[in-house]
Structure formats: structure tokens, C-alpha cells
Amino acid sequence: MYYFSKFFLKLLRMNNKFIFVVAITFIILSSVSAYLLEKETFGSLFNGLWWVMTTVTTTGYGDYFPKTVAGKFLGMFLYIFGIGLISVTIGKVIDSLFVYRQRKEEGKLRYQGEQHFVIVDWSKNAELAIQEILNTDSETEIVLIDTLEKTPIVHDRVHYIQGSPTLVETLEKANMKKARSVFIFANETTEDQAMLRDPSFVDGKTLLVATTIERNYRNVHSIVEIKNSENMQNFLHVNVNEFILGSETISQLAVRSAFSPGSSRIVSQLLTRQSGDNLHVLGKRKSWSTYRDAFEQLLQEGATLISDGDQLNINRKLDQLIPGDARLFVICDIDTYQRISSNT
């Protein structure tokens, strides 16, 4: 028993891949041996495999069993070595799953997917953005980059990467080059509260992240949150696609709600996918020449055309030609959008 214990202790210390190869080889050779020793008993290689598997897993259905002395010796060999080997292998599999889950929660695993959204730095705004993405698309995956010891959110479609977003190594682990868009939220975590109250300091950290991403991944659509609009000029050389002015937007919306009660509810409904009509984007159809063509046909199909990109003056240029790269924003419900987008 001492030698058996020593042997299995060595197995536990061996590399997982080596153990799996040994286990598979052991099962295959045992199955072939069982069949060759007692062809009449087992009838086929598969039946030999079935008997070996039920033996080493201690199931023992009894539908097949060896009848010759050589076959019984093989059975005893499986009892002594096979059961122990399979037990060690199963233990290794369970340990591997535990280690995988732990490494995933700690952000140590590289993301391999494509067309995903990357969110830089965990914050309340980042959490809301993640929830909105998950509610908007039932298949899109998200990669969150932060320096936290463990992921702050557990979800099947949210993958966590631990590391500094200013390092290319971290961005590579997030597979940034294959990402659909990247959101860079203002990082308001610092040990110096005086710096935290300075919007320029917060925006400076954001600028460093945006510069790193733009320098290495220009193809990725970038959306950046800044705290002070006066700092926007510092981002001009970075070629950020879109800016979000969180505090100013909230203040402006509050004022508009005071002058035009109910306007905040309209904007909130357009920005979320919770219920009712929402904002969607379409490409140009071949049958459309002017904006009037698009406006009238979409209206008949249950959607209202409101802009081409950020140009909200559609009603004043209905007879102008629609460029081929137009991004037409419409208001409609999700069912209508799915129907009309299939025709674009």
C-alpha cells in the first residue's frame, strides 16, 4: 500500500495535460485488451470500452464481465490502478474548473471574442452602460477593464480584464483590435480627494487612456466621458469619435424639463430600450434618392425619420439627395425596426 500511495501522490503532482493523456491512453489500451482477450464475451471494441468505463468509475452494471483468467486479471488490474487513476483525473478536472473560474473572476484570462463592447474603468455610469447594453442586445458581449482584484459584476456576457488601460498588454488581453466600440468613463477613484474634486485631473487620466487606445486601435469607435467641456480641446489630437458631458447634459435636461415639462421623460425613453418607441439607425435603401423618399416611406412603415447623423434639419432638406454613407436615425418600436431594417 505504501508504494501505491506514493505512486498516486506523484500523479497528483503531475501536469494536468500529462494526466489526461495517461488516462485516455490507459482506457484505450484496457478496452482493446479486454476485447482481444475475450472477443466472444464483449463482441466489439465499444463493448470493451463500455466495460472498462463502468469498472473504473465503480458503476459496474454487470451486463458484461470477463470469464477467462486473463480477463479477470485485467479486471483486478483495473480495480487497483484504473479506479485510482480515473479518480485523480476527475479531481484534476474539478480543480481545473475551479482555477478557471477563479482566474476569470480575477481578470487573468484573455478574451477571444469579436465585435464586443469594451468598457474602461468601473463606475456607476459604467454599470448603467453595461445594463443598457445587455438589455439592448441579447447576444453582444462586454469586456470590462479595471484594476480591481475581482470583477465587480458577474454575468455570462461580461468578461473582466484586470490591468491598467494605458498598457497595450492589457488592451490586447481585451482583444481591443476586434472590438466594436470602446467606452472610456471618467475614473473618479484616487487616494487624493483634492485631485478627485479637480475635473482637469480626472479628464487628464481619461486623456491618457484615450491616447493609448487611439494610437494603437484607430479602427475602434471610441466614446469618451469628460467632466469639463473646457478640457475637450485637449482631446482634439486624439480623434475621439464621440464625447459625453455627463454633468452638463443632466443640468441642461433639468432646465429643459422646467421650461417644457415632460421633455425629460421623452429623452429618457429615446435613450433606453425599456418600453415604447426608441431611437434606431438605418442605412440608405437603393429605392431612396432624396430624404423625402425616405421620410414618406418610413412614415408609412411606422417609423419617423428625424436626422442624418447629427443633422436634425431633415425637414428643411427633404428634396436633397441622400449620400451613400448616410446614417438615418428613426423613432419607432423594436418590432418595427426589425422589420424595416431587413429591407435596408
Side-chain angles (χ1 to χ4, degrees):
M1 291 299 295
Y2 170 76
Y3 293 104
F4 290 144
S5 300
K6 194 172 182 179
F7 172 73
F8 286 117
L9 285 174
K10 286 185 178 180
L11 280 179
L12 289 172
R13 291 192 292 268
M14 288 182 178
N15 182 274
N16 287 356
K17 291 183 179 180
F18 178 77
I19 292 294
F20 296 151
V21 171
V22 170
I24 293 173
T25 304
F26 179 85
I27 290 173
I28 293 175
L29 292 178
S30 298
S31 302
V32 173
S33 299
Y35 171 70
L36 294 178
L37 289 173
E38 298 197 24
K39 291 186 178 181
E40 293 183 359
T41 300
F42 296 106
S44 67
L45 280 172
F46 178 78
N47 290 335
L49 173 63
W50 170 256
W51 173 72
V52 169
M53 291 302 298
T54 57
T55 301
V56 297
T57 57
T58 69
T59 305
Y61 285 108
D63 49 351
Y64 293 100
F65 55 90
K67 298 176 182 178
T68 64
V69 173
K72 292 177 180 179
F73 269 113
L74 176 61
M76 289 188 287
F77 179 76
L78 291 177
Y79 299 151
I80 297 173
F81 290 97
I83 293 175
L85 177 60
I86 296 303
S87 298
V88 171
T89 304
I90 293 174
K92 289 284 188 179
V93 171
I94 295 174
D95 288 343
S96 297
L97 293 175
F98 175 79
V99 171
Y100 173 82
R101 180 178 178 181
Q102 185 178 37
R103 286 176 58 83
K104 184 177 181 181
E105 290 180 351
E106 293 175 352
K108 302 293 180 60
L109 299 178
R110 182 181 295 271
Y111 180 75
Q112 303 292 344
E114 299 180 6
Q115 290 300 302
H116 53 290
F117 289 106
V118 177
I119 293 184
V120 177
D121 287 325
W122 176 252
S123 64
K124 185 61 179 178
N125 288 341
E127 181 180 9
L128 293 174
I130 289 175
Q131 294 300 330
E132 185 65 21
I133 292 172
L134 295 176
N135 293 333
T136 301
D137 193 318
S138 60
E139 296 183 358
T140 298
E141 296 191 345
I142 303 168
V143 175
L144 171 66
I145 299 177
D146 204 286
T147 56
L148 299 172
E149 292 184 0
K150 285 190 176 182
T151 177
I153 181 171
V154 178
H155 194 282
D156 292 340
R157 292 192 283 128
V158 179
H159 189 96
Y160 178 57
I161 296 293
Q162 184 190 65
S164 172
T166 61
L167 299 177
V168 176
E169 178 184 358
T170 303
L171 301 177
E172 282 295 309
K173 289 177 65 177
N175 203 11
M176 182 67 75
K177 61 185 177 182
K178 298 291 183 66
R180 177 177 174 181
S181 294
V182 55
F183 300 82
I184 306 174
F185 288 101
N187 188 339
E188 299 183 5
T189 57
T190 178
E191 296 179 358
D192 192 331
Q193 293 301 315
M195 289 184 174
L196 180 61
R197 290 191 292 269
D198 184 1
S200 296
F201 173 77
V202 177
D203 288 343
K205 295 171 65 177
T206 304
L207 176 60
L208 182 59
V209 175
T211 302
T212 304
I213 293 176
E214 179 62 26
R215 185 173 65 247
N216 296 280
Y217 311 98
R218 294 187 177 182
N219 62 302
V220 180
H221 185 85
S222 56
I223 305 165
V224 175
E225 177 192 12
I226 58 176
K227 306 299 291 184
N228 191 337
S229 60
E230 295 180 357
N231 294 325
M232 189 179 296
Q233 59 183 351
N234 298 322
F235 288 79
L236 295 180
H237 71 283
V238 185
N239 295 322
V240 171
N241 295 104
E242 297 185 49
F243 290 98
I244 300 174
L245 299 171
S247 57
E248 290 191 13
T249 301
I250 293 173
S251 299
Q252 293 167 359
L253 185 58
V255 172
R256 292 292 175 269
S257 297
F259 281 97
S260 304
S263 59
S264 64
R265 290 195 296 272
I266 295 174
V267 175
S268 297
Q269 182 176 333
L270 291 177
L271 294 178
T272 62
R273 302 296 179 98
Q274 295 178 352
S275 62
D277 290 349
N278 304 123
L279 194 63
H280 304 278
V281 63
L282 294 171
K284 177 189 175 183
R285 293 181 185 174
K286 294 181 179 179
S287 59
W288 296 339
S289 296
T290 64
Y291 288 105
R292 186 183 300 278
D293 297 335
F295 184 88
E296 292 178 352
Q297 186 170 356
L298 288 171
L299 196 62
Q300 293 177 356
E301 296 177 2
T304 303
L305 176 63
I306 62 170
S307 76
D308 179 2
D310 58 359
Q311 302 175 35
L312 292 171
N313 58 343
I314 289 291
N315 61 329
R316 294 195 297 274
K317 58 176 188 179
L318 290 176
D319 294 322
Q320 293 184 20
L321 297 177
I322 304 176
D325 59 348
R327 300 181 71 248
L328 305 175
F329 284 88
V330 299
I331 297 176
C332 61
D333 57 40
I334 187 63
D335 292 334
T336 300
Y337 173 69
Q338 291 176 348
R339 186 179 68 255
I340 64 178
S341 60
S342 61
N343 297 325
T344 302

